[in-house]
Amino acid sequence: MTILVENTKVKLEKACLKLSKYINILFLVLTIMSSFISKIWGQEVNIAQYSVGQGLPQSQVNKIFIDSRGMLWTATSGGGIASFDGMSFTTYDESSGLAGNIVLDIEEDQKGRIFTISTWGDISILENNKISKIIPYPEGYTGFSTLEKDSYGTIWLAGNKLCYIENDQIIEVASDLKLPFTHNPNIKCFGDILLVAFNDRILTIDVKSKKQIKSKSYPFEIIVAFFDNNNVLYIGTEANGLYKEVNNQLFQVQLPSNHSTSSISITDIFQQNNNKIWFASKKGAYCKENDEIVYYANDKGVGEYDITSICFDEQENIWLGTKGEGIVGIVNTPFTYFNNYDGFNKPDNFAIIKDHQNRLWTGNNEKGIFILENENVITLTKENGLPDNGIRTFARSNDNFIWTGTKKGLCKISPDLKVTVIPEFKDMYVKSLLISKYGVIYVGTIGDGLWEINHENNSIKKLYDSEIKNVHSLCFDLKENLVIGTNYGCHYIKNGEITFYKENLKNTYIGNVTCDKNGKIWVGTDRSISRLDDNKFTNFDISDGLISDVIYILFTDSDGNLWSGSNKGLDKITLDNNSNIVNIKHFGYSEGFKGIETNAKAYYECESKEIYFATVSGIHKYNPKHGYNFSYNTPVYINKIKLFLEEIDESNLNGSSKSWFGIPQNLTLEPDQNHITFEFFAVDYLNPKGVEYTYFLEGFDKNWSPPTKLRTAVYSNLPSGNYVFKVKQHGNNFSQIASINLKVKTLPPPFYKTIWFLMLVMISIVIIVYYFTEYRTYKLKNQQAYLESKIEERTLEIQESEKEKIVLLQEVHHRVKNNLQIIISLFSLQSHFTENKEALELFRNSQNRIRTMSKIHEKLYETKDLSDISIEEYITELIDDIIASYDIKNQVKVNAKIEKCNIPLDDLTPFALIINEIITNSLKYGLKEVEQPEVFISISQTVIGDTTLICGDNGKGFDEKIWIDHQTMGMELIKTLADQLDGEIKLTQEDNKTFYTLKFKTRI
């Protein structure tokens, strides 16, 4: 009974298999037919291929893999393994300690370590950028062919046995996986399920319990099994293509290709995010998105590679490992190009447009029009009715006609591609077309000026015939005013009036005009781009950041960006609200713009914001979704440290928590290790050569460095201290920041700067200073004693000499005084022999004057200090003597207020004589007939030597004319003596008083 059931089961399986083959043939026919219809759904792609010439150690790749650091790993057949960062490969082979150079698979564990298996040798583990450990195979194992990490971080191995690694030990799992193999097993993990595909079977393993759940066989040889996110099982076969199993029902998936679906060998399956599933085959790659499958092979520029493995990075680039062709990347650069379509790959296209049916048009300078429809190219030439094959410009009207300007006329082409020539423009070189929102068509020609076609009144007329001859470009401003670029500058039409602008233009030949988002007019010449500000232009060129001054394209896109196409690529210019340039992003070859040099005015922006450009290498399309908006987290790593430009072994670096590259997070350097070079890189596969870096050494630099494409930073003569080196990708706010804490030790001080040496020096200095002070004190005491004895001796000598001088001077003054007294006596004796009153009065005056001088000498020889005469005593006695000589009745009252004054001897004599004259005049004339006669005198002196004398009486006064005219000898003498003192004297008569005021300055 059992045998009967089994035979029946086998017959049913064969019948189903035969039926499925017929169904497959039908599906294949439909697929081939549909492929010709739906090929337009596919896109041109950018391909990056790396093989031995680019640094890959071997061209046959068995496995390709992206690790947690974002680096791409390849396992090769003979070259070991290699990691790739977008710029260069790092190879690990037997010379580096790898167990074997023929590596079958590669995987990463939870610690970030890389595991590899080889055809001969054991399991190799890479850690900190080097082979750190080898796990030997257990005895009796013939080797493993595949590795897989489950959702819990456990590494699984499959070969002739199924095993997993725990604590770096290989542990076997009981299963029905046994030799011999038709194909090596392939394992993939999905949640708690591990699928093992081998021969014609699929094993299901529970990764938690490490036990087999089920085993199922299929009627074909299996290479790979894969569950998608909807739990649909895809099965890749050796020679029967691709199958999927839904609810235990098996269906063959029809793959669009140039090969029989039944003969396709599926080698790997990988799901990209949630929406795309990729299938690798020996004849190329397939991508399933929604219900559409796209074949990536020759017609996509990928080539019919024998693909062994497939993966994708964080930038959503697809990487394919091949047998013999190295690795191939389908890179999401913002540009795709049409090198596989006739006409679209030509260098001299000068017009691009899309019609309402989404057909792409390009106009060639010599070969007419090429239209891409459903990946088929339709050609229109003079034979189809065009005025000429030299196409210069396109415009689409409201009725969906494509207006075409040629070198010899104007025509319009209907949606069904019928050509209608406009006879009024026969043989005219039509270079520019512009259609307003009202349907008015403006036609710019070379040599025949500007024209207007108005369908409302069916008129065609020439505009501004005298002003405009050659029209190279046209645009509208925000108010639909027309702007015209000509040979000689820019014409601007507002409200029917035309204004001409060219002031400050570097070149008046304007090939492009455009209006920016703020309403400013920009023009492009072969010297600069220029902005119209009021009545003159402001120019911008390479000094402002443009890649080139030779401008072939200038326009404003729907997002308000300004695009400049030149002989060196594209510049995407960001403007602020004042139309100032705030950023320029350049697109060249490394950014995917492989055409480099653009053609004049050859661009078109679609409603989807995709922009087409015509270049010398054909048509390129810009996709803003991949426009380097830096929305991805770019990993940045510090991979090397050099001291004095020589790479150092990481084992010599002090620190802990080393990175993958062996660089510690906290690095300590000796004081003499102060010339340091940091090497770094960013894992970027879109534009690795265009990555710009900025770095900052916290504690040393004040600001982040200017952007640079160099991947090194050098610091020399770093002083001792604590630093943090940081580096990131410039312009990417999502970029990671790699950092290292750096400490440069303090250099031990020389012996002469140590504390013990300084203390010893201080003690020595104190001792030296003490003994030196004692010695100096002893010497100074002796010298002081000697000097004191000399001073005392000399003082005695001086005192004796002074005494002698004083005695001598006193004797001189005594003799002078005696002589003056003799003169006074002679005058007195002589007065006895005359009765002439005038003579007697003269004698008396002379006696008083001589007595005044004699009194001084009397005081000098009476005092011990010849320089110190009491003025108060001297003046008082002088006044008393004068009064005594006249006032025999003693009636005159003396009112004296004399302060202590210091009057030099040279000034004292004239000073005393002045007082003598004033008192004498008072006694002789002023006090006659005064009942209570009074003489008053006041002498005062300031601290700076200003001396004031006030002297007079209470007499009746006299005629001031006598004083002014010097009519008496006394008056003359008073003024003369005052001049001798360099003083001022004045006479005052008021309130029954007559007095003199003398002011002079004495030397204190």
Side-chain angles (χ1 to χ4, degrees), residues 662-675:
I663 307 298
Q665 184 63 32
N666 298 290
L667 180 62
T668 301
L669 298 178
E670 297 301 323
D672 58 346
Q673 296 176 320
N674 59 358
H675 188 287

Side-chain angles (χ1 to χ4, degrees), residues 708-977:
T708 177
K709 291 184 180 180
L710 296 177
R711 306 206 292 182
T712 58
V714 181
Y715 291 91
S716 59
N717 298 322
L718 278 178
S720 301
N722 296 316
Y723 307 96
V724 181
F725 178 74
K726 300 177 181 179
V727 60
K728 63 181 180 179
Q729 182 181 4
H730 174 71
N732 185 355
N733 295 329
F734 296 90
S735 172
Q736 296 178 3
I737 298 178
S739 65
I740 287 181
N741 297 318
L742 177 66
K743 179 180 180 180
V744 179
K745 290 182 178 179
T746 302
L747 186 68
F751 75 94
Y752 55 83
K753 289 186 178 181
T754 57
I755 295 177
W756 63 265
F757 180 80
L758 294 176
M759 291 180 63
L760 180 62
V761 170
M762 290 297 295
I763 293 171
S764 300
I765 291 174
V766 170
I767 293 173
I768 292 172
V769 169
Y770 173 77
Y771 282 104
F772 179 75
T773 303
E774 289 294 315
Y775 174 74
R776 287 290 296 165
T777 302
Y778 172 76
K779 293 288 289 181
L780 288 173
K781 286 182 178 179
N782 289 340
Q783 188 175 4
Q784 183 179 4
Y786 172 76
L787 290 175
E788 286 178 352
S789 64
K790 286 293 185 182
I791 290 172
E792 186 176 356
E793 179 182 343
R794 185 61 179 160
T795 301
L796 292 174
E797 291 178 358
I798 293 173
Q799 288 176 349
E800 289 298 326
S801 176
E802 285 294 323
K803 288 180 180 180
E804 291 177 359
K805 289 180 180 180
I806 290 172
V807 172
L808 180 58
L809 285 174
Q810 287 177 336
E811 180 64 26
V812 169
H813 288 298
H814 182 67
R815 288 181 180 275
V816 172
K817 183 256 181 186
N818 288 342
N819 289 335
L820 291 175
Q821 286 294 335
I822 292 172
I823 295 172
I824 293 171
S825 298
L826 289 175
F827 277 117
S828 179
L829 181 62
Q830 185 65 38
S831 64
H832 292 295
F833 295 98
T834 179
E835 296 180 359
N836 189 323
K837 292 182 178 181
E838 292 181 359
L840 288 173
E841 185 64 30
L842 180 59
F843 285 147
R844 183 182 295 180
N845 291 339
S846 297
Q847 283 177 315
N848 287 336
R849 291 167 182 154
I850 295 171
R851 188 179 291 111
T852 298
M853 291 184 289
S854 173
K855 198 72 176 178
I856 293 173
H857 290 284
E858 181 182 352
K859 292 295 181 183
L860 285 173
Y861 77 75
E862 288 178 352
T863 183
K864 293 181 180 180
D865 187 356
L866 297 177
S867 63
D868 186 15
I869 298 177
S870 175
I871 299 300
E872 183 179 5
E873 181 182 350
Y874 168 68
I875 297 300
T876 302
E877 291 181 1
L878 176 62
I879 294 172
D880 290 343
D881 289 346
I882 297 172
I883 292 174
S885 67
Y886 285 94
D887 185 16
I888 58 176
K889 296 179 180 180
N890 198 21
Q891 296 176 346
V892 178
K893 181 182 178 182
V894 178
N895 185 359
K897 185 179 180 182
I898 303 173
E899 297 178 0
K900 186 177 180 180
C901 299
N902 185 8
I903 299 176
L905 185 59
D906 291 342
D907 293 341
L908 185 57
T909 299
F911 181 69
L913 288 173
I914 291 173
I915 295 173
N916 175 75
E917 292 301 321
I918 295 172
I919 299 298
T920 300
N921 285 339
S922 295
L923 294 174
K924 287 171 58 178
Y925 307 109
L927 296 177
K928 287 181 178 182
E929 299 177 0
V930 177
E931 293 181 359
Q932 294 179 352
E934 181 183 355
V935 173
F936 56 85
I937 183 170
S938 170
I939 301 176
S940 61
Q941 189 177 66
T942 65
V943 293
I944 60 174
D946 291 335
T947 305
T948 302
L949 167 67
I950 301 174
C951 185
D953 57 55
N954 59 348
K956 60 182 181 179
F958 62 92
D959 187 359
E960 288 189 9
K961 187 175 181 182
I962 298 174
W963 166 255
I964 296 172
D965 295 338
H966 305 177
Q967 293 182 6
T968 65
M969 179 181 177
M971 298 298 169
E972 178 68 27
L973 185 57
I974 289 171
K975 290 188 176 181
T976 301
L977 293 171

Side-chain angles (χ1 to χ4, degrees), residues 135-201:
I135 301 177
Y137 288 160
E139 187 175 352
Y141 281 56
T142 59
F144 298 100
S145 61
T146 183
L147 291 168
E148 178 78 358
K149 179 174 68 175
D150 67 22
S151 55
Y152 300 96
T154 301
I155 300 292
W156 292 77
L157 308 90
N160 62 324
K161 297 181 180 181
L162 180 65
C163 303
Y164 64 92
I165 298 175
E166 186 175 277
N167 297 324
D168 293 347
Q169 300 294 321
I170 299 175
I171 301 174
E172 184 179 353
V173 176
S175 71
D176 60 358
L177 179 63
K178 297 178 182 178
L179 290 174
F181 297 119
T182 304
H183 296 286
N184 289 330
N186 184 292
I187 55 178
K188 288 188 181 295
C189 181
F190 306 92
D192 292 340
I193 298 299
L194 187 74
L195 293 183
V196 184
F198 68 101
N199 296 341
D200 62 347
R201 302 180 65 79

Side-chain angles (χ1 to χ4, degrees), residues 654-723:
N654 298 321
S656 58
S657 303
K658 292 184 178 180
S659 69
W660 169 262
F661 301 97
I663 307 298
Q665 184 63 32
N666 298 290
L667 180 62
T668 301
L669 298 178
E670 297 301 323
D672 58 346
Q673 296 176 320
N674 59 358
H675 188 287
I676 187 167
T677 301
F678 299 98
E679 293 191 6
F680 43 81
F681 69 92
V683 180
D684 190 295
Y685 300 108
L686 289 178
N687 184 21
K689 293 182 180 179
V691 174
E692 293 184 325
Y693 302 89
T694 180
Y695 52 84
F696 176 65
L697 185 60
E698 187 177 303
F700 185 82
D701 293 328
K702 293 183 179 179
N703 299 298
W704 287 84
S705 71
T708 177
K709 291 184 180 180
L710 296 177
R711 306 206 292 182
T712 58
V714 181
Y715 291 91
S716 59
N717 298 322
L718 278 178
S720 301
N722 296 316
Y723 307 96

Side-chain angles (χ1 to χ4, degrees), residues 219-496:
F220 35 68
E221 296 176 2
I222 302 173
I223 296 179
V224 60
F226 186 92
F227 274 119
D228 71 3
N229 292 338
N230 297 318
N231 208 34
V232 175
L233 178 64
Y234 286 91
I235 303 172
T237 71
E238 165 61 23
N240 294 89
L242 178 68
Y243 284 82
K244 67 178 180 179
E245 187 176 72
V246 182
N247 297 325
N248 291 322
Q249 296 293 317
L250 195 64
F251 303 94
Q252 187 169 24
V253 179
Q254 301 304 312
L255 300 174
S257 69
N258 295 326
H259 311 285
S260 170
T261 300
S262 60
S263 66
I264 296 175
S265 176
I266 302 298
T267 56
D268 195 11
I269 304 174
F270 206 96
Q271 183 151 10
Q272 180 185 6
N273 298 327
N274 294 322
N275 57 346
K276 291 183 180 180
I277 302 178
W278 289 81
F279 309 98
S281 77
K282 293 184 178 181
K283 295 292 184 178
Y286 301 88
C287 178
K288 179 182 182 297
E289 185 173 7
N290 300 322
D291 294 328
E292 178 193 357
I293 298 178
V294 177
Y295 178 45
Y296 284 80
N298 286 337
D299 61 338
K300 291 293 180 185
V302 179
E304 290 188 351
Y305 301 127
D306 184 349
I307 301 174
T308 59
S309 178
I310 190 166
C311 68
F312 70 95
D313 58 40
E314 288 190 4
Q315 296 171 337
E316 299 186 4
N317 305 302
I318 304 301
W319 295 95
L320 311 172
T322 72
K323 282 189 176 181
E325 302 290 342
I327 61 176
V328 177
I330 303 174
V331 183
N332 287 321
T333 59
F335 294 94
T336 56
Y337 54 101
F338 295 75
N339 60 327
N340 293 322
Y341 299 102
D342 185 38
F344 289 82
N345 54 6
K346 296 192 178 300
D348 49 355
N349 294 320
F350 285 87
I352 313 173
I353 201 168
K354 265 194 172 183
D355 62 19
H356 70 291
Q357 300 178 40
N358 205 34
R359 295 180 296 188
L360 182 63
W361 297 48
T362 184
N364 189 270
N365 193 46
E366 298 292 341
K367 300 190 180 198
I369 299 172
F370 300 94
I371 305 171
L372 183 60
E373 181 178 20
N374 295 332
E375 293 200 357
N376 297 314
V377 177
I378 302 170
T379 304
L380 297 179
T381 64
K382 291 175 66 175
E383 295 178 357
N384 303 101
L386 293 179
D388 185 67
N389 287 341
I391 310 301
R392 300 300 300 186
T393 183
F394 286 140
R396 193 173 85 188
S397 59
N398 297 338
D399 55 2
N400 293 322
F401 276 74
I402 301 298
W403 289 75
T404 304
T406 75
K407 292 181 181 180
K408 292 186 178 180
L410 177 68
C411 66
K412 62 179 181 179
I413 304 173
S414 65
D416 58 356
L417 304 184
K418 292 182 179 179
V419 178
T420 301
V421 176
I422 311 302
E424 288 83 355
F425 295 90
K426 183 180 180 181
D427 294 329
M428 288 188 188
Y429 191 138
V430 179
K431 194 173 184 183
S432 55
L433 290 170
L434 185 65
I435 301 178
S436 74
K437 61 184 178 180
Y438 306 107
V440 177
I441 302 173
Y442 293 93
V443 182
T445 69
I446 301 300
D448 291 289
L450 178 66
W451 294 74
E452 178 187 273
I453 302 176
N454 193 331
H455 291 290
E456 289 186 0
N457 52 20
N458 294 320
S459 66
I460 298 177
K461 63 179 179 179
K462 191 173 185 181
L463 303 177
Y464 307 103
D465 186 25
S466 60
E467 292 94 342
I468 301 173
K469 297 297 182 184
N470 299 304
V471 178
H472 299 287
S473 53
L474 295 167
C475 81
F476 291 121
D477 69 4
L478 298 182
K479 296 181 180 180
E480 203 81 1
N481 295 310
L482 188 62
V483 186
I484 307 159
T486 71
N487 283 24
Y488 305 104
C490 176
H491 291 78
Y492 202 163
I493 302 173
K494 294 181 181 180
N495 300 321

Side-chain angles (χ1 to χ4, degrees), residues 569-588:
L570 288 171
D571 284 321
K572 183 181 180 182
I573 305 169
T574 304
L575 304 176
D576 63 15
N577 291 332
N578 295 317
S579 296
N580 295 315
I581 296 175
V582 295
N583 184 55
I584 298 177
K585 171 61 183 174
H586 175 65
F587 296 97

